Amino acid sequence: QANLVLGSAEANLLQSRGGFDPKLELDFERNEFEGTEYYDRLNATFKVPTWFGIELKGQFEQNDGVFLNPDETLPDDGLFSAGVSVSVLDGLWINERMATLRKAKFFEQQSQADRDLLVNQILFDASAAYFKWIQTYKDLMVYDNFLEKARIRFRGVRESALAGDIAPIDTVEAGIAVQNRNLGLEQAKVRFRNASLELSNFLWLDDNIPIEIQEWVRPELRPSAMVDQTLEIAGKSLDSFALEVHPKLLSLDYKIQGLEVDKNLKVNQLLPQIDLEYNFLTETPELINSFETSQYKGGITFRMPLFLRKERGALKLARFKLQDAEFERDNALVSIRNKVEALYN
């Protein structure tokens, strides 16, 4: 399951890179009625998006028909064009495609930290279940010892009563103590068996077959050295652990970096959108010198909301999310530090 988190991040990154994939578009329309060809339009376009808001484009157009608009009249063999479109303000330094890819890269790194965090949590839960198993077994031994001592005392009290040293009624209290100790022992056995079942949740064979601790299995009573070696903490002091590389904090750091990208995108969107496009036109694309600046098709698009309320609101939300994530990281740092010290205590 932890590895699936990483796999999902890699799929998300692949999807984000798809925003820069070349695209081939083909539009074809034909209208013929009562033997008259009204129009026959063919438009084939090849687009290559690039990183800095620049898009390269090659196009072939061929139109025919009786009722074409004058601006759609083209040479009989069609018209080729090659050009570029660019956003000069909003979308030049950062745009939706760029931001999505950057955030996906941070999300992939965040997912690696999340995977480590999930694995750490499994190890922690398994360790806690193991120590609980040992504790309940030691409790069982204590209750067994209690019962044995209660039985010895009962036999002594009974012998004293038979000898006349004490009243026979005193054996009743000693007998009740034996029954109470016996009941405590049975309860300890139930707790130990339940702890064995809880620990069995973490025991699996290599081919994903769960196994269960049998009733006759007993824990190692002095496991400290083995546990420290297994968890790779043997000989390590509290000061040797660098909290900065804790998976939780790394995950939050990458989350913050992703939100920084989102905030920068929202800042950039406050700028006016100016899109420029220029295309060379030619009937003979196989001849390089046929692309002349005097034969072109171009345009400019300008967009700017007058009040920018949508953009300003989006920027405020992005800043709030970023600040919230920074607070979350600060709180996590303190919480983890205190938790580690508490575990050592």
Side-chain angles (χ1 to χ4, degrees), residues 33-263:
F33 182 68
E34 294 184 349
T36 301
E37 184 181 356
Y38 279 63
Y39 58 79
D40 193 329
R41 300 188 185 100
L42 174 64
N43 188 327
T45 306
F46 181 67
K47 298 179 181 179
V48 181
T50 61
W51 180 255
F52 288 107
I54 300 174
E55 187 174 74
L56 307 177
K57 182 171 69 172
Q59 190 174 27
F60 172 73
E61 297 174 276
Q62 189 175 40
N63 298 333
D64 194 12
V66 179
F67 296 101
L68 286 175
N69 294 324
D71 62 339
E72 294 179 317
T73 302
L74 300 174
D76 292 339
D77 294 333
L79 187 65
F80 294 87
S81 64
V84 61
S85 61
V86 58
S87 298
V88 295
L89 288 178
D90 178 17
L92 179 61
W93 300 112
I94 184 171
N95 53 46
E96 199 72 44
R97 285 194 302 242
M98 296 162 61
T100 301
L101 181 55
R102 286 177 181 173
K103 289 190 291 185
K105 290 180 178 179
F106 287 130
F107 180 66
E108 182 184 33
Q109 294 172 307
Q110 179 185 351
S111 298
Q112 292 175 352
D114 289 340
R115 178 194 58 178
D116 295 339
L117 188 63
L118 288 171
V119 173
N120 279 1
Q121 187 63 48
I122 294 171
L123 291 175
F124 179 82
D125 293 342
S127 301
Y130 177 70
F131 296 138
K132 181 180 179 181
W133 186 54
I134 295 176
Q135 180 181 355
T136 55
Y137 179 67
K138 289 189 174 183
D139 289 346
L140 177 62
M141 295 175 61
V142 170
Y143 277 98
D144 186 64
N145 187 47
F146 281 170
L147 178 59
E148 181 60 27
K149 295 295 189 294
R151 285 172 174 169
I152 293 174
R153 179 173 177 270
F154 174 73
R155 289 194 295 267
V157 170
R158 187 179 60 181
E159 292 295 327
S160 297
L162 292 175
D165 295 335
I166 58 176
I169 192 64
D170 291 338
T171 59
V172 175
E173 182 272 334
I176 292 174
V178 172
Q179 293 178 357
N180 286 336
R181 296 304 188 189
N182 193 37
L183 177 61
L185 177 61
E186 292 302 317
Q187 292 173 337
K189 288 180 179 178
V190 171
R191 288 194 294 270
F192 175 65
R193 184 57 190 155
N194 290 342
S196 300
L197 293 173
E198 184 177 343
L199 181 59
S200 297
N201 291 333
F202 302 95
L203 299 179
W204 296 74
L205 297 178
D206 290 339
D207 47 359
N208 288 337
I209 297 178
I211 58 177
E212 184 178 312
I213 296 177
Q214 300 302 306
E215 294 186 7
W216 51 267
V217 177
R218 295 294 181 264
E220 172 71 37
L221 295 181
R222 296 183 180 275
S224 299
M226 180 180 61
V227 168
D228 289 352
Q229 184 178 2
T230 301
L231 298 180
E232 299 179 2
I233 59 174
K236 291 186 178 181
S237 63
L238 179 60
D239 297 335
S240 66
F241 290 98
L243 293 183
E244 291 75 15
V245 296
H246 190 283
K248 177 66 173 179
L249 298 179
L250 289 177
S251 176
L252 290 173
D253 283 337
Y254 292 128
K255 178 182 178 181
I256 289 173
Q257 293 180 61
L259 291 173
E260 285 276 7
V261 173
D262 197 52
K263 186 202 73 173

Side-chain angles (χ1 to χ4, degrees), residues 274-334:
I274 302 178
D275 297 333
L276 304 178
E277 183 174 356
Y278 184 88
N279 298 276
F280 295 100
L281 301 178
T282 181
E283 297 180 64
T284 55
E286 67 275 6
L287 301 177
I288 298 299
N289 58 6
S290 66
F291 291 95
E292 299 178 2
T293 57
S294 60
Q295 301 181 136
Y296 68 91
K297 179 174 64 175
I300 180 172
T301 302
F302 176 81
R303 296 187 186 92
M304 182 176 181
L306 295 181
F307 300 112
L308 293 173
R309 285 181 290 197
K310 176 182 177 182
E311 290 74 12
R312 289 187 288 119
L315 177 58
K316 284 186 177 181
L317 286 174
R319 285 173 172 166
F320 288 149
K321 290 180 181 179
L322 178 60
Q323 191 175 26
D324 181 69
E326 290 171 344
F327 287 151
E328 184 181 1
R329 189 199 181 282
D330 294 340
N331 181 68
L333 176 61
V334 175

